[in-house]
């Protein structure tokens, strides 16, 4: 019996037997995904990943591209080197690792990645979803800020149909009229996904808020709403982070957060 049961408004109800494999206990690595926005250097990422492992991270994240919204293309390049630094750092710390695929060509050098990430800007880039699915690895799909739940499940289906061995949906904030935070973090979507689809769900409070002051609260709210894990941008020296400095939290606050989230999990009865 398929495990995606969400009653979608438009189009046929998703029906993928492979979704049966979506069991959170099979993927404890999703629980505390942590790392910098960008892989800033080899030594940098090796030191950081060792420290993150010590304080409870279960998977290392890091952006190998450094494309920002502005200026266009300002820091791009070195993605092959950065991904090999990320891989080395993860192996040294004994952590699995994840990074974003922006182009199908990236797949040629990301064969060592444990999970592949689809960034929100590409969440409906169907040829890319298919190419990434064909690699048959687990995929973390970041919901586009404009995408409804139906549209998000459509993207999940592209990945599963192409062969992705697993898909986790990442709530990372959506566009709304509100502008006090960078995006509006939807814990309702997390709860709905868990209640009605059985998919793995991860909350990203870093991009969801853009503000390190509220990242811990949003992370706790994601876990309280039932997410299987959180993805948090952590930096040894947040103000000097090469990108997304405003939302990076310190290693110390990440450590504290891990303890709090574990308590919330117990309260949830997990
Ligand atoms: C990221 O997680 O590195 C990232 C760029 O996030 P998003 O695609 O959600 O903006
Ligand atoms: Mn970032």
């Amino acid at each position: 019996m398929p495990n995606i049961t969400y009653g979608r408004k438009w189009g046929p109800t998703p029906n993928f037997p492979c979704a049966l494999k979506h069991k959170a206990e099979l993927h404890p690595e999703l629980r505390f995904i942590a790392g910098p926005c960008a892989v800033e250097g080899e030594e940098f990422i090796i030191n950081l990943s060792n420290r993150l492992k010590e304080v409870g991270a279960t998977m290392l994240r890091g952006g190998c591209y450094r494309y920002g919204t502005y200026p266009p293309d300002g820091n791009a390049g070195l993605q092959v080197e950065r991904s090999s630094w990320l891989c080395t750092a993860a192996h040294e710390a004994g952590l699995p690792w994840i990074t974003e695929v922006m182009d199908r060509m990236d797949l040629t050098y990301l064969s060592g990645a444990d999970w592949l990430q689809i960034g929100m800007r590409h969440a409906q880039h169907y040829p890319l979803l298919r190419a990434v699915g064909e690699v048959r690895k687990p995929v973390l799909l970041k919901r586009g800020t404009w995408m409804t739940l139906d549209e998000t499940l459509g993207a999940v289906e592209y990945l599963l149909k192409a062969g992705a061995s697993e898909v986790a949906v990442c709530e990372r904030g959506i566009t709304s009229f509100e502008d006090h935070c960078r995006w509006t973090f939807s814990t309702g979507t997390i709860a709905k996904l868990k209640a009605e689809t059985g998919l793995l769900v991860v909350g990203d409070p870093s991009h969801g808020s853009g503000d390190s002051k509220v990242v811990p609260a949003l992370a706790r709210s994601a876990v309280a709403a039932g997410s299987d894990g959180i993805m948090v941008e952590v930096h040894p020296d947040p103000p000097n982070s090469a990108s997304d400095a405003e939302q990076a939290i310190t290693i110390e606050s990440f450590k504290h957060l891990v303890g709090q989230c574990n308590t919330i999990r117990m309260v949830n009865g997990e």
Side-chain angles (χ1 to χ4, degrees), residues 55-76:
V55 298
T58 53
M59 180 143 68
L60 180 67
R61 64 141 285 143
C64 295
Y65 283 89
R66 276 173 46 193
Y67 284 113
T69 306
Y70 344 91
D73 200 351
N75 290 304

Side-chain angles (χ1 to χ4, degrees), residues 217-229:
L218 291 196
R220 294 191 298 268
S221 75
V223 176
S227 79
D228 300 296

Side-chain angles (χ1 to χ4, degrees), residues 35-38 61 63 67 117 121 142 172 182 204 206-207 233 241 243-245 247:
C37 180
R61 64 141 285 143
Y67 284 113
Q117 178 174 324
R121 290 164 183 81
K142 301 196 86 174
R172 49 79 71 222
R182 197 170 169 197
D204 170 356
S206 307
H207 294 90
E233 288 189 349
S241 181
S243 55
D244 280 348
Q247 68 198 37

Side-chain angles (χ1 to χ4, degrees), residues 170-191:
C170 181
E171 167 58 33
R172 49 79 71 222
I174 56 172
T175 307
S176 81
F177 59 85
E178 192 51 87
D179 62 1
H180 66 281
C181 273
R182 197 170 169 197
W183 276 285
T184 297
F185 191 63
S186 176
T187 46
T189 301
I190 292 175

Side-chain angles (χ1 to χ4, degrees), residues 102-182:
M102 284 202 170
D103 186 300
R104 63 192 305 154
M105 288 301 292
D106 298 339
L107 296 168
T108 59
Y109 59 85
L110 288 180
S111 56
D114 296 278
W115 280 73
L116 297 171
Q117 178 174 324
I118 298 285
M120 75 87 172
R121 290 164 183 81
H122 298 275
Q124 285 186 304
H125 183 166
Y126 299 128
L128 184 65
L129 298 184
R130 281 174 58 177
V132 169
E134 280 166 10
V135 175
R136 301 190 172 271
K137 280 182 186 275
V139 181
L140 181 99
L141 171 74
K142 301 196 86 174
R143 168 156 86 129
T145 54
W146 62 93
M147 282 165 71
T148 63
L149 188 47
D150 280 3
E151 289 162 345
T152 307
L153 290 178
V156 170
E157 287 177 68
Y158 268 90
L159 288 163
L160 288 174
K161 202 165 187 172
S165 63
E166 189 61 276
V167 176
V169 176
C170 181
E171 167 58 33
R172 49 79 71 222
I174 56 172
T175 307
S176 81
F177 59 85
E178 192 51 87
D179 62 1
H180 66 281
C181 273
R182 197 170 169 197

